[in-house]
Amino acid sequence: MSKRIGVGVISLGWMGRLHARSYRALAERYQGLGAEVRLVAACDPVAAARDEAVAALGFERAHADYRELLADPEVDVVSICSPNFLHHEIALAAVAAGKPFWIEKPMGVSAAQSRQIAEAAEAAGLITAVGFNYRHTPAIERARQLIRDGRIGRVTNVRCWLIADYGSSPEGPLTWRHSRDKGGSGVIGDLLSHGADLVQYLAGRIESVTATSAQFIPERPIPTKAGIGHSGWEVSDELGPVENEDWVAVLARLEGGAVATMEASRVAVGPRAEYVVEVYGTDGSLRWNFEHLNDLFVCAGRDQEFQGYTRVMAGPDFPAFSIFQPGAGTSMGFDDMKTVEAAQFIESVLTGEQLAPSVADGWAAAEIDEAAVASAADGRWHDVPEVTGRTTWGS
């Protein structure tokens, strides 16, 4: 018999709506999960969003205050999709309410906030999930298998870059993402954290970093109307200061002796979402690009007659692929990765085993982010503190 699990989603921006869709998809995609997932309650301060939650998104009710949602006895698990500066407050309230939660990264505006969230959830014995969705691409999961099976030999170095254009226009709005108080770091927390998690997931713990960063657009128009995600905003003619970085480059040392380079930009002109990870070993290498997320490029062995990459299309032999598509050539998409994430979260709750990326993983990425910020300020190498708790990238 399936267990009924009531879901609450806090904040109905683009990500909150995606969480709702991901939960709804479980009934079709993960029929053997053993859970009947109900969208019990949503929370958003905007009345129109609350109305849409019930009328279009499938929620039974909606609240203006997240405390009402957390107090709802029919809400068993919670998604926290609010802006960064609210994560800490809401996550600690979820811990106090005893509710397992799925939270988007970064888990706060500092490593200290992320640590407090992780340690509180761990002390309470709560199952958690953090939105490192790029992990869940079948091609990345297959790459991890190949690396762990020794197919490319000993890992020597990793290259990872996340180059995007969502902030490339100087006329783009001065949103909370550009505020140190509300967003924390800029592209470091927004994109580099994904890259740091991918590097650790594939190649091992990052022990130390040195970094440089830059701000290419120092002022932006002040908004007059809020949008959803990166779109739908309206702006005035008045400009305000951008307080955090637009671009960063990082050199990292990994546990075991490998090295990595990481780069991230939110203001590139050309690439739309070129998120790439390359892992090099003594006997081969692997390459994946989010813009072609169903392809994995593999070079396994130095002694092939025709040296170079083989393009391997994700198919039913790749982890999770057959849940969504019947065969190679029929592509999965971004939303599918979040459905995998939702399934891992719910299965973790059902079994008590931490399968989804955990708050310890979120804390680990935040420590890398903060070390990069510190290094960009003083030009030195910074050690990355090792975190406690149930990390999953090393399992």
Side-chain angles (χ1 to χ4, degrees):
M1 180 179 293
S2 294
K3 181 177 180 180
R4 300 189 79 186
I5 295 181
V7 168
V9 175
I10 298 173
S11 189
L12 293 175
W14 172 65
M15 190 55 69
R17 293 161 196 246
L18 178 50
H19 276 229
R21 292 198 300 274
S22 300
Y23 286 122
R24 291 201 306 267
L26 296 181
E28 176 188 357
R29 299 298 188 185
Y30 287 86
Q31 295 183 26
L33 190 58
E36 179 188 341
V37 178
R38 298 166 50 215
L39 294 180
V40 171
C43 172
D44 199 281
V46 178
R50 296 196 298 273
D51 292 341
E52 187 178 2
V54 176
L57 302 181
F59 289 94
E60 296 174 14
R61 49 189 171 272
H63 303 283
D65 189 330
Y66 74 83
R67 297 171 188 83
E68 296 177 14
L69 183 147
L70 291 175
D72 192 326
E74 294 188 62
V75 171
D76 302 305
V77 301
V78 179
S79 278
I80 302 172
C81 305
S82 56
N84 300 354
F85 64 97
L86 295 173
H87 284 180
H88 180 254
E89 172 188 322
I90 296 173
L92 292 183
V95 171
K99 310 277 189 183
F101 60 90
W102 173 13
I103 187 171
E104 283 303 317
K105 41 59 52 196
M107 294 197 309
V109 296
S110 66
Q113 287 192 353
S114 294
R115 177 176 182 166
Q116 289 169 4
I117 292 169
E119 289 183 339
E122 188 73 21
L126 288 180
I127 289 294
T128 57
V130 178
F132 291 126
N133 46 276
Y134 300 107
R135 278 193 192 191
H136 309 307
T137 311
I140 289 291
E141 296 284 19
R142 186 58 182 273
R144 179 175 155 97
Q145 289 179 348
L146 293 171
I147 293 165
R148 295 202 162 203
D149 289 345
R151 296 291 298 278
I152 65 170
R154 175 178 56 84
V155 173
T156 57
N157 60 293
V158 183
R159 298 174 66 213
C160 184
W161 61 96
L162 298 97
I163 309 297
D165 70 345
Y166 64 82
S168 60
S169 172
E171 284 75 46
L174 187 70
T175 70
W176 59 265
R177 295 180 186 276
H178 303 288
S179 162
R180 285 201 178 276
D181 288 340
K182 294 184 176 181
S185 60
V187 76
I188 291 176
D190 201 19
L191 291 182
L192 186 75
S193 58
H194 278 300
D197 183 71
L198 279 175
V199 170
Q200 295 199 131
Y201 191 59
L202 294 172
R205 191 177 88 82
I206 293 173
E207 293 186 320
S208 60
V209 300
T210 186
T212 186
S213 65
Q215 184 191 86
F216 300 137
I217 302 177
E219 293 183 316
R220 291 181 176 275
I222 294 173
T224 56
K225 177 184 176 183
I228 295 175
H230 298 297
S231 61
W233 296 76
E234 295 180 4
V235 299
S236 68
D237 294 330
E238 184 181 357
L239 299 178
V242 173
E243 297 176 350
N244 47 31
E245 78 290 335
D246 292 324
W247 172 88
V248 66
V250 177
L251 181 62
R253 298 186 182 111
L254 276 61
E255 197 171 62
V259 293
T261 60
M262 298 182 290
E263 183 183 3
S265 175
R266 62 188 181 188
V267 296
V269 178
R272 306 307 308 271
E274 189 178 79
Y275 304 161
V276 180
V277 61
E278 299 175 342
V279 183
Y280 294 87
T282 54
D283 201 37
S285 62
L286 302 162
R287 187 179 198 274
W288 175 79
N289 183 350
F290 170 66
E291 290 186 345
H292 307 280
L293 64 88
N294 291 278
D295 293 341
L296 179 64
F297 286 84
V298 181
C299 178
R302 291 178 288 104
D303 301 322
Q304 301 175 53
E305 180 180 1
F306 300 105
Q307 188 58 263
Y309 281 124
T310 298
R311 177 194 177 204
V312 182
M313 298 185 72
D317 57 328
F318 279 44
F321 186 90
S322 62
I323 294 171
F324 297 89
Q325 299 296 353
T330 305
S331 298
M332 289 177 61
F334 183 89
D335 285 18
D336 297 328
M337 290 185 283
K338 298 303 281 191
T339 300
V340 175
E341 198 170 310
Q344 285 190 355
F345 175 47
I346 296 300
E347 185 177 358
S348 298
V349 171
L350 291 172
T351 64
E353 181 181 357
Q354 185 66 55
L355 303 171
S358 67
V359 284
D361 297 319
W363 174 18
E367 291 288 2
I368 296 166
D369 292 348
E370 196 143 296
V373 171
S375 177
D378 66 19
R380 300 177 180 177
W381 279 91
H382 282 254
D383 291 336
V384 177
E386 192 165 1
V387 306
T388 58
R390 291 171 287 181
T391 57
T392 63
W393 51 262
S395 59

